[in-house]
Amino acid sequence: MSGEYRSRVERKQAAKQTKQKKAKKKRGRSWLKAIAIAIVLMIALGAIGGVAAFAYFVKDAPPLDEAKIKDPLSSTVYDMSGKKVAELGGYKRTYISYKDVPKVLENAVLATEDARFYEHHGIDIVRLAGAVIANIREGFGAEGGSTITQQVVKMTFLSPKKTLERKAQEAWLALQLEQKYSKHEILEMYLNKIYYSDGIYGVARAAEYYFGKTNLKELTLPEAALLAGMPQSPNRYNPYVHPEAAKKRRDTVLSLMVKHGFISAEEAEKAKQVPIKSMLTERKKPQNSVPYDAFIDEVIKEVTDKANVNVFEDGLKIYTTLDQEAQSYVEKLLNSDQRFTAKKDLQSGIALVDTKTGAIRALGGGRHRDNIEFGFNYAIQPVGQPGSTIKPILDYGPAIEYLKWSTAHILVDEPYTYSDGTPIRNAGGRYAGPVTVRNALTWSRNIPALKTFQAVGKERAKEFANRLGMGFDEVYEPYAIGGVSRYVSPLQMAGAYAAFGNNGVYTKPYAVTKIVFPDGTEMDLKPKPKRVMHDYTAYMITDMLKSVIRSGTGQSAYVPGLELAGKTGTTNYGKDGAKFGLKRDDVPDSWIVGYTPNYTAAIWVGFSKKSETATLGDREQRIPKLLLKDLMSHLDDGSGEFQRPDSVVKLPIKKGTNPPKLAGKYTPESDITYELFVRGTEPTEVAKDEPEELPAVKGLAASYDQAANIISVSWSYDEKTDDTLFEVRIKDEQGHTETVTTKDLSVTVTNVAPGASYTIAVYAKEGERMSKPAITSIRIPGGEQPTAPGNGANDDGNNHGAGNGGTNGNNGDDHGGNGNNQNNNNGGNSGNNGNGNEDRDNGGEEDNGSEDNGQGDGGATTPTTPTTPTTPTNPQSGNGGNAGMRNGSRQ
């Protein structure tokens, strides 16, 4: 029974579980079906929405104008005021048809740009997906996503701006182009339109320009690969300017040709071994009538790099920063022989930018370029090592930025070596000992610069420099004085220095503000400004660089009334000089970079070729400074000034103090220098100085006129100024003193007593400063003679109180001298043994003695200026505290 029961129960439970499972399966199928339906609906809605969006975008697409396909549109260049400057395009072109294109070139182009060109109808979904995967796997640029047909459409009708609207219009027009033209015709259009840098467009002209080949059938595999790879970024892969980048791009094309089966791996490897330079012919200079070609060269570079368009064919309106007046003057300076010598191969480059915005106002690409256009541009191409112009960028700028050094910071200029033990020298081989940072930069001392670089550390120095556009991969100790491995351009240096003049804000120099495409689309090409340093760093470097121009190595560039800061620099050959028969210290490059609140200019002078004559003499080394002076005098109206920010404190410092001390009340003006400190780091200790002593008067003489009963006192003084006063002190033998102050060189003493002796001391005074006294004595005839005559007054400044007989109660030094032998006679009734410091605060309170008991302080009374001094009275012996003895400490 129990077994049957269990069986029935189990059968019921099993049946129940079966029903539950069937219910769950039904519910699961229902959910899956609902999800599937939802996905299908979403896809359908997405497709409908996509079609609608595509239709919306292409409704405004430009028409497929065949004239534009066949004939390129010239581009117009405008200056900073919107005035037309030049028209680019319309030159004689070397047009080729498809039958002239060799298979090696066609295969290289197809492998690089569109391997399925003959399989799609203008849009290649497979290629688009493959390009995404290739770029992820092999790196950006391995393959492009657009077909050759799409690129022809983009170059002909549309702006390169990457928007959904432009991509939709590009696809729509590509489909239409494929319907109207054959594949061979479309490939022909592409090969005749693409840009190849240096103003070269079309593959036929490029083959002639780079390889000297007018017949495309003569192209080799590595040459075809180079031409196929350049259009991705023509200037970046220009083999004359960037041979390493060009080789890397050529080799990428060869690898793509292997990948798509056009060549074997062995053929590719053999082609990769061919050096780039061995493929190239001598660089040619395209001839045309474009004005300001050095500036236009930069315009073309910026537009092609940033917008990836062909300025010679795409019908652009290009708005630039060009100041035509400044550009004309720069070219005039370079082509004039007023500053330049006739030395062989002597060249120069000038870059002028707006200090506040970074806008390029003028570019001087070289000397005597009238018949050469788009040649080597000495303003924008790397031309040489920067020399000492690098010091604010790698040394002193970082020291202020990171270490908050003041301009009074002391460095010792002494024999020194690099960390590896190699000696470093200053120019001239001399050492200055302890110098301030300002002095070190003003006179471009190398040893303090290296010490500053070491204190900052190379990583922070590199970081600071690269924020100013220097692009250093690594920096080493020789970089501190300009011995960099990578050459720099004037434009690069102008951009870096402009940041110092612009309160620490850097803007990469630019020549193009915007471009307008034929369809009206605009593209803004202005770079964004960036704060790259604190305002205190910018201002303090600027203030020191003003010292360079006013009183340092850049004095030849000084322009009165102009806020001009700058830094000079020269380089030397070092051990490489022997290759050209030159000495180590011979100079191949001379620089100056200078700036005002309005303009920044970098000027280089050097040689187009290194040879046994390629060394700059003293006169040629001064050329950049004189050119800067000419340029700034002509262009800058002197408006604006470098405003000191609140983060900077300017203080008077006593010269030579280390650490710096504030100048004291008595610090001579000649010992004071005004230096800058980052707020919060300024010194508080004050230098302790005594007032500087003035020279003593000369020729002091006193004569007695018996008829008039007066004493005439006169003297001379060679150092007399409008602020000079003379204090005359007349003391009788009783110790009574009368003081007279005058600007004249003489005084008269009236009502003198017969038989009396007078000692006369004359001091020169200017404010707090005072001279030692000149002293003379005179005895008036008649009267009763003293029983013990004195020894007479000494004229050495130490004993002018002597000789007053036994009644002189002063045993002190009237003028603050040695205080010895004031009372040589020690007469009988000496009333006082006072301390007679007349011109020092050596007394106590105002009344340091008693009139009644005759114990005065022996000093002079407060100076007065009576019209006519009266004869001192003759108090009785013992009244030494009267008149001249009372207020000794007041003086």
Side-chain angles (χ1 to χ4, degrees), residues 472-758:
F472 292 134
D473 296 325
E474 290 293 336
V475 297
Y476 305 97
E477 288 186 349
Y479 283 39
I481 60 172
V484 305
S485 59
R486 177 185 294 179
Y487 285 1
V488 299
S489 71
L491 184 59
Q492 187 180 14
M493 295 301 292
Y497 270 67
F500 292 123
N502 192 32
N503 203 34
V505 176
Y506 172 78
T507 304
K508 184 178 180 180
Y510 64 98
V512 181
T513 58
K514 69 175 181 178
I515 55 177
V516 180
F517 296 91
D519 62 0
T521 303
E522 293 188 8
M523 179 181 287
D524 186 351
L525 297 188
K526 289 184 293 186
K528 293 183 178 179
K530 300 176 182 177
R531 172 159 293 282
V532 295
M533 69 184 86
H534 289 95
D535 56 4
Y536 58 74
T537 303
Y539 183 81
M540 291 168 69
I541 288 292
T542 295
D543 195 69
M544 290 193 290
L545 294 183
K546 286 166 65 177
S547 297
V548 173
I549 300 297
R550 286 195 306 263
S551 58
T553 60
Q555 292 178 66
S556 297
Y558 176 70
V559 180
L562 202 61
E563 282 252 285
L564 179 60
K567 183 70 188 75
T568 58
T570 56
T571 65
N572 55 54
Y573 277 100
K575 62 183 180 181
D576 292 337
K579 299 177 184 177
F580 309 102
L582 298 172
K583 301 175 183 176
R584 292 180 61 91
D585 291 336
D586 283 340
V587 175
D589 307 286
S590 182
W591 289 84
I592 192 169
V593 189
Y595 58 97
T596 70
N598 302 314
Y599 296 102
T600 300
I603 302 174
W604 166 86
V605 170
F607 296 92
S608 58
K609 297 177 182 177
K610 295 292 190 294
S611 67
E612 68 278 2
T613 63
T615 179
L616 299 173
D618 291 341
R619 180 182 173 186
E620 285 116 4
Q621 290 177 40
R622 291 182 65 232
I623 292 174
K625 306 172 194 177
L626 299 175
L627 292 177
L628 179 66
K629 180 175 183 176
D630 293 340
L631 184 60
M632 291 301 188
S633 298
H634 182 79
L635 294 178
D636 202 307
D637 61 4
S639 62
E641 62 179 336
F642 299 114
Q643 296 284 348
R644 187 168 79 241
D646 291 339
S647 57
V648 176
V649 181
K650 183 176 183 180
L651 295 171
I653 301 299
K654 182 174 181 181
K655 292 179 181 178
T657 53
N658 185 22
K661 293 181 181 179
L662 296 170
K665 180 179 180 181
Y666 299 119
T667 303
E669 194 66 34
S670 59
D671 284 348
I672 297 175
T673 179
Y674 287 85
E675 300 292 355
L676 304 178
F677 299 82
V678 178
R679 188 174 293 280
T681 67
E682 59 268 30
T684 56
E685 187 176 353
V686 179
K688 295 179 175 59
D689 293 298
E690 293 295 327
E692 182 181 353
E693 192 170 69
L694 291 173
V697 302
K698 298 178 180 178
L700 177 63
S703 61
Y704 175 64
D705 184 341
Q706 187 170 5
N709 193 31
I710 61 172
I711 301 173
S712 296
V713 184
S714 63
W715 61 90
S716 64
Y717 195 61
D718 296 337
E719 309 295 327
K720 190 174 186 298
T721 69
D722 292 340
D723 297 325
T724 304
L725 296 173
F726 300 100
E727 186 176 293
V728 184
R729 301 178 187 174
I730 306 104
K731 184 165 64 175
D732 65 13
E733 56 195 6
Q734 301 300 319
H736 301 156
T737 301
E738 185 80 20
T739 301
V740 177
T741 302
T742 180
K743 281 197 167 189
D744 298 328
L745 296 174
S746 63
V747 296
T748 300
V749 181
T750 62
N751 299 324
V752 295
S757 294
Y758 296 95

Side-chain angles (χ1 to χ4, degrees), residues 355-366:
T355 302
K356 297 181 180 68
T357 66
I360 303 171
R361 296 303 181 204
L363 293 172

